[in-house]
Amino acid sequence: MVLWSVDTRDWSITSNDNGKSASVIRKRAALGLTQEHPVILLHDGGGNREATVAALQEIINDYRTHGYQFVTLDEPR
């Protein structure tokens, strides 16, 4: 079993309102930048996910800039 360690609460956002909501999701995701192996919770359903999709590439860029690598959950660390 794997649990998330960073909750972006993206489920609570219903629109991207000119990028403001995507920015909020990105800031919440950045809380994991202090963790050794963060698992970020983002949703792909359950309503309008426009802001989540808009934030995703920047979240990936933020983590890569800080030296993180993306792996599947079944890969050894």
Side-chain angles (χ1 to χ4, degrees):
M1 179 188 301
V2 177
L3 298 176
W4 43 264
S5 62
V6 179
D7 186 358
T8 64
R9 300 191 59 217
D10 64 323
W11 57 267
S12 67
I13 296 174
T14 58
S15 72
N16 195 23
D17 55 10
N18 297 322
K20 291 178 187 174
S21 294
S23 179
V24 168
I25 293 169
R26 180 181 178 192
K27 286 178 186 175
R28 291 174 181 166
L31 295 174
L33 291 171
T34 62
Q35 299 175 9
E36 186 175 2
H37 300 289
V39 177
I40 303 166
L41 177 62
L42 296 166
H43 295 81
D44 64 351
N48 183 338
R49 300 280 52 97
E50 180 182 329
T52 301
V53 171
L56 186 56
Q57 188 59 57
E58 293 302 319
I59 292 169
I60 291 169
N61 292 343
D62 291 344
Y63 276 82
R64 284 186 174 153
T65 298
H66 283 84
Y68 287 86
Q69 295 178 346
F70 291 84
V71 299
T72 61
L73 294 176
D74 62 347
E75 287 184 47
R77 294 183 198 171

